Amino acid sequence: MRDAVGNLLADGDKVTLVKDLPVKGAGMTLKRGTVIRSIRLTGDPQEIDCRHESIRGLVLRAEFVRKV
């Protein structure tokens, strides 16, 4: 799985968001540059399972993140 700029992603990596993303169901927006720690890859080649301190069970698309 690759991020927005083509870096390979692995379980446990730290990523940042490359654009503002509204979160459905949480009523908030994650801002560009937000750091997401310890990601987990899923069976879908474009989805990343992760946790944010205010949102549990967050699933992001790989095209919106960049490896730190």
Side-chain angles (χ1 to χ4, degrees), residues 1-31:
M1 182 176 302
R2 296 190 179 269
D3 66 359
V5 293
N7 297 324
L8 283 174
L9 295 173
D11 286 340
D13 282 345
K14 188 186 303 184
V15 297
T16 60
L17 298 178
V18 295
K19 67 180 267 183
D20 292 349
L21 296 174
V23 181
K24 294 180 182 179
M28 66 180 296
T29 300
L30 293 175
K31 300 293 183 184

Side-chain angles (χ1 to χ4, degrees), residues 8-56:
L8 283 174
L9 295 173
D11 286 340
D13 282 345
K14 188 186 303 184
V15 297
T16 60
L17 298 178
V18 295
K19 67 180 267 183
D20 292 349
L21 296 174
V23 181
K24 294 180 182 179
M28 66 180 296
T29 300
L30 293 175
K31 300 293 183 184
R32 184 177 64 128
T34 301
V35 176
I36 305 291
R37 295 185 186 109
S38 66
I39 65 169
R40 287 185 312 261
L41 304 179
T42 63
D44 187 344
Q46 285 299 315
E47 290 185 350
I48 299 168
D49 187 28
C50 51
R51 286 185 305 200
H52 187 262
E53 50 268 357
S54 61
I55 304 168
R56 295 193 183 257

